[in-house]
Amino acid sequence: MSVRVRFAPSPTGPLHIGGVRTALYNYLFARKHGGTFILRIEDTDRTRYVPGAEAYIQEALQWLGLTYDEGPDKAGPHGPYRQSERTAIYRRYADQLVAAGHAYYAFDTPEELEAMRTRMKKAGAAAPKYDQVTRQYMRNSLTLPENETRELIEQGVPYVIRLKTPRQEEVKFQDEVRGWVKFQSGQLDDKVLLKADGFPTYHLANVVDDHLMDISHVIRGEEWLSSTPVHVLLYRYLGWEPPCFAHLPLILKPSGKGKLSKRDGDLGGFPVFPIEWKDPRTGEVYAGYRESGYLPEAVLNILALLGWSPGAGREILSLDEMTRLFSLEKVGKSGAKFDPQKARWINQQHLKRKSGQALAPYLRTELEKLGIDGYDDAYLAAVAELTREKAQLLTDLWPLSRFFFIAPVEYPLDVVKKKWRPEVRDFLASLAERLPDGPLSAETLETAFEEAAQALGVKAGRMKQLFRIAISGQPSGPSLFPAAALLGGGELKKRLRTFLTWAEQHLEE
Ligand code: GLU
């Protein structure tokens, strides 16, 4: 059997990272087995459709490198891949189900449905539904005479098509993550398959497409588990073999209490969406991992570990490594707690793996924003090599790197005061004199530093922090001598002099 899997988001807004994790696991499974990964847009619920959401999904997958083999913008043998372009297909199967007696027309108005619910509630039903029992008292093709049903349809009276669920039957399926899962059909309601607007519901469209698109494995979030018995019935009634199912565990709040939501991200200061989303209806902006300084490979790594474990204590993995190690057997059943600190740590590990060259474009962008040019790529790469060690997020790089491009004019007065001693002035002046005007190595600088200290009889170690502040404006930062050396002798001298002038004005001795 060839592996064909799909990611089937509904374009109802930005893609939650739970959805991205589903896409990732499908991708990994497909690549691992040399199979095909499909993007299918499930846009049949017109009331929930949000313009821009489909483009958002595609952009997010592209940023993350989760390339699909077939999709709305990638023609394949099973297209179209947007459900709104397939409505005629679903209609045919809905009709087939009615003809075979597995589905029926229902003409009930919203008022009649409401009256039924009220009646049932009065009779003590906690959650009244349209099911094997109540359908007997409603206006549908099971209770109306055949000719009346025909007449209503001919007159254009709105109707839906509902699944006729069996009265008392065990519906079971084997889930790759959970083992055997069983439901009693008496607990199911007669789900609407085709709506009055002629569009299918999720259930019908999903099953028809998974079949027609030759999907071998349905890998999706746990929230769809309760829909699966409905799907299993549909496969049976349509005479089709169901695919294998795998339901992924929920992604939980950091506290572990409930599903991770946008609100949790807002409160905890971390994104729950891959890329930034600007809601076209409200203008509200939702934070994204991309804009918050995460690397795409780190986001994939963070998500991979939410529900799957590669074993052997491995935590930092590239997409290729994940692909090699992935298996559904190692996906857990219980919810996976999202840990924002660990997410940052994982990003940091991936930043450390990046070369300075790979990070240079990020600094280039920041420089361009400020209209600064005149630095070559090699310099940018060297800066990034030095500063990435201290960065957890890509966005930390610029504040750490800024002084390599912009000389400080302000210094932290409190710290300077605390560290200041009279010999500092002489020391820095003497150091400046010892430096060459041109390029400088870290070793030459360190030697000059030691010599200046010796000549004045001061401890070199004690001079370091003020030297750092003098050249960077900051009390801490990247490895001192390599960073300072990169600035070059001439620039260092200038900065030391500027600092000494400032100190004269701000410090009383
Ligand atoms: N359209 C559903 C969603 O938005 C797809 C669920 C499934 O994969 O079957 O997640």
Side-chain angles (χ1 to χ4, degrees), residues 124-309:
K129 46 191 171 51
Y130 207 116
D131 61 10
Q132 304 86 358
V133 178
T134 49
R135 71 183 173 220
Q136 300 172 62
Y137 309 101
M138 304 302 288
R139 243 157 39 91
N140 55 49
S141 57
L142 301 175
T143 59
L144 298 170
E146 214 181 305
N147 57 347
E148 207 177 312
T149 299
R150 213 174 315 119
E151 268 167 37
L152 287 173
I153 292 175
E154 276 161 17
Q155 285 163 14
V157 172
Y159 65 83
V160 299
I161 291 180
R162 283 182 184 271
L163 176 67
K164 191 177 166 203
T165 47
R167 181 96 200 225
Q168 262 178 344
E169 211 183 280
E170 189 173 73
V171 184
K172 59 178 186 175
F173 55 91
Q174 188 153 27
D175 189 278
E176 305 277 320
V177 174
R178 283 145 220 276
W180 281 102
V181 182
K182 295 174 191 156
F183 286 87
Q184 296 305 321
S185 70
Q187 306 291 315
L188 306 174
D189 55 342
D190 286 359
K191 286 267 184 282
V192 172
L193 301 177
L194 201 78
K195 292 175 282 184
D197 62 4
F199 275 88
T201 56
Y202 156 71
H203 304 289
L204 179 66
N206 190 270
V207 165
V208 166
D209 283 350
D210 282 346
H211 175 72
L212 295 183
M213 295 182 178
D214 267 339
I215 297 303
S216 60
H217 294 75
V218 165
I219 303 170
R220 62 185 170 200
E222 181 176 320
E223 59 271 40
W224 304 102
L225 189 65
S226 60
S227 297
T228 309
V230 176
H231 300 178
V232 170
L233 288 174
L234 279 170
Y235 282 106
R236 188 193 303 166
Y237 295 155
L238 289 163
W240 298 335
E241 188 67 33
C244 297
F245 293 103
H247 288 89
L248 310 176
L250 292 177
I251 298 183
L252 305 175
K253 300 175 189 299
S255 66
K257 293 190 188 107
K259 221 166 124 175
L260 181 73
S261 69
K262 171 175 180 297
R263 207 176 125 71
D264 298 318
D266 292 344
L267 290 175
F270 58 87
V272 299
F273 302 103
I275 59 178
E276 192 174 272
W277 164 256
K278 191 160 181 238
D279 196 302
R281 298 157 300 181
T282 59
E284 198 187 341
V285 177
Y286 296 35
Y289 275 88
R290 182 177 62 185
E291 294 70 18
S292 305
Y294 285 80
L295 296 168
E297 53 269 47
V299 175
L300 294 176
N301 194 158
I302 293 163
L303 296 178
L305 300 183
L306 291 171
W308 168 71
S309 158

Side-chain angles (χ1 to χ4, degrees), residues 443-495:
E443 293 73 36
T444 315
L445 174 60
E446 197 166 356
T447 310
F449 202 91
E450 297 286 349
E451 284 172 4
Q454 247 167 29
L456 290 164
V458 297
K459 282 211 174 95
R462 291 210 165 164
M463 299 293 119
K464 278 188 183 164
Q465 203 185 13
L466 281 176
F467 173 61
R468 181 189 288 284
I469 291 176
I471 61 155
S472 71
Q474 290 160 359
S476 64
S479 183
L480 185 58
F481 291 122
L486 189 60
L487 284 168
E491 180 65 21
L492 280 184
K493 287 190 201 188
K494 238 195 289 170
R495 292 189 182 195

Side-chain angles (χ1 to χ4, degrees), residues 312-332:
R314 293 202 58 174
E315 292 199 294
I316 302 303
L317 303 144
S318 70
L319 189 54
D320 280 347
E321 289 166 317
M322 287 182 228
T323 304
R324 231 174 321 109
L325 296 169
F326 188 77
S327 75
L328 286 174
E329 290 93 74
K330 292 218 182 98
V331 173

